[in-house]
Amino acid sequence: MASHSDTLVVFFGATAGANGGKLGSDEREIILLVWQIVDLHEKKVGKLQRRLVKPDSLELTDQSKEETGLSVDELYKAEPLDKVLQQFQQSVSAELKALGRSSYTLCVDGPLIIRQALHPEASRKNLVLPECFYSFVDVRKEFHKCCPNAGQVQDLTLPYILEYVCIPELPLSEQVMGLKEVRCMVQLCLHILAEPYNHKFSCFEAVKYKLESGACSKTEPVDSETVIRARGLPWQSSDQDIARFFKGLNIAKGGVALCLNAQGRRNGEALVRFINQEHRDLALERHKHHMGSRYIEVYKATGEEFLKIAGGTSNEVAQFLSKENQVIIRMRGLPFTASPQDVLTFLGADSPATDASDGLLFVKYPDGRPTGDAFVLFSCEEYALNALKKHKQILGKRYIELFRSTAAEVQQVLNRYMSTPLISTLPSSSMVPMPVLATPPYLATGSTRDCVRLRGLPYTSAIEDILEFMGEHTIDIKPHGVHMVLNQQGRPSGDAFIQMRSADRAFMVAQKCHKKMMKDRYVEVFQCSTEEMSFVLMGGTLNRSGLSPPPCKLPCLAPPAYAAFPSPAMLSEAALYQPPLLATPRTPQPPLSPHPTLAYYPPQHHPAQLYMNMNMNYTAYYPSPPVSPSTMSYFASPPGSVALAAQQPHAQGHIASPMMPQHSALVRMQGLPYNAGVKDILSFFQGFQVE
């Protein structure tokens, strides 16, 4: 505004709930507005104006009725908030014109009416507030500048201030809520304008119009007294939604960090950094306020927590995020061969990226391989909305998912991809072996790197395609050594594990077949250990945080990959050559050795059946996108389609088995048809003893 010092509009409001120091803490609507103009140059005052406001919910607390003296009938006849604000503007403009003034500033007794009541309510009702409500002066802070010895600002109250400067109280006839407070503030303003204070109003506070995006460095100091944690956010909420929830409070630049879970999805939490402690304390008063139909919990947090989520060290990311006031969109599912020009062509002329290819950031693994994710900057909301309309459109042979994103999310995704190896070293385990669910006998654990992992297989590929892909190296595959990995919907995940006869053969395959084409895709081939392969096939999770053990809800269901499984030498020859699981089950054969017997199927000598298609559960790699439509569970279950170990009574003189006795086993089944009954399940397990 041109001149803040010419005119003040002393402003007051009350709600249908808590007032005073708790104004706005209960989300109740405004029901009363009172204002009066003060000409600072001529030291004159205008007409005292009072307006009732009709709330959407005509309910008043007993405390509000007592303090305001208003009834539901009076409010029913009043105008809604948007109409009253129009009357406010018209009234003030008319008086300013009569005084020969052109601009004004609001003057309030504390920031609550502006920051905690008016802006949040206008945001909830989608009202556009006039510009005058984005700047104001606090009469308490102005008084504190005149009389610094009067006490701390937060401890000052209007009655105490009036008593301190010897302003007499108003007569009882004038002590009506709203009128009393405005008259007292007007008297105080005129008092500190006169001798001996000769005060000039200069502490103008601002309310930010919108959230400013920006990057945060891990070396940047963050005051813990300015950070909060918001919990219970809708998963589809963006940083702009969070800024809207805290409307009226000033969030620091790049101060919203949406938290991601281990799978890269938003977990309903966010860390928010405000410009100072005062705004942080006001944010805490919004604990259990609502965002849509959900209430949001607000707690204190630390600067270290904020930096852990939002901080970054990559110069590439810092340069990417250095462009201010940009809208960030995340793209997922890009072909690994996609170039910047391919992405720009996909986005089209109606949604140009900022600075063309400089507005793109491709996410890569530490070795430089693309992940299929990218972030795009747009200079305005219109371009971003046009880009979001291309959600699930095709680029090459893949559909692309697009989502709104934030600067903090860019940092999180890049940090996780660049800092953690895809397969980490397995932790040593001191767990006591309790093999309730036995692994297939040919999956003996070990650290020898005699296996290879195929990644990026076409989803239509079968075992025969893998054998053709391996070519001359097929003869080095162990019997039943090909394991196709399926996701929890029973669909191919694009991964497979292959057991080779030796580590040298596995190394040779990884060298010769890496990035070799299968159909229209290149396949990555990596050498790995049997232990790592077994860990995944038995329900463990392979993600960017390394390997996670199979989930166990009961203590007895310890991850079998930690146990010492019987070696092939301990098993019958027939048990070593099983056809695909659950194909024509037969009655278990009698034990051929003193070791635990296994329910098995007699071998069938078709060559294609020497390689087993393992229908194991598998969790997709990190990260999946925020709010990506998916029904996938993130907890892989122990496979229910493996042979069950049954401890047989030992004959006299037999050597005890190294495996612990286990007379029964609990198996979890996933993916059952909805119409499956008990008979169907019993038929499924025909050939096994079911209790």
Side-chain angles (χ1 to χ4, degrees), residues 24 69 71 85 101 104 116 136 138 141 197 202 229 296 306 316 378 382 417 453 504 510 573 586 673 678:
S71 66
L85 292 178
R101 308 298 178 190
Y104 61 94
Q116 295 287 73
F136 63 92
D138 185 345
K141 293 180 180 179
Y197 302 107
S202 57
R229 179 183 294 273
I296 309 302
F306 182 83
E316 183 183 12
F378 295 98
E382 179 185 356
Y417 266 119
R453 172 168 156 252
D504 293 338
E573 182 181 359
R586 305 287 181 86
V678 176

Side-chain angles (χ1 to χ4, degrees), residues 377-395:
L377 294 179
F378 295 98
S379 59
C380 66
E381 188 71 23
E382 179 185 356
Y383 292 162
L385 291 175
N386 291 338
L388 290 172
K389 294 176 182 177
K390 297 177 174 61
H391 179 60
K392 290 200 172 182
Q393 290 189 13
I394 302 298
L395 174 58

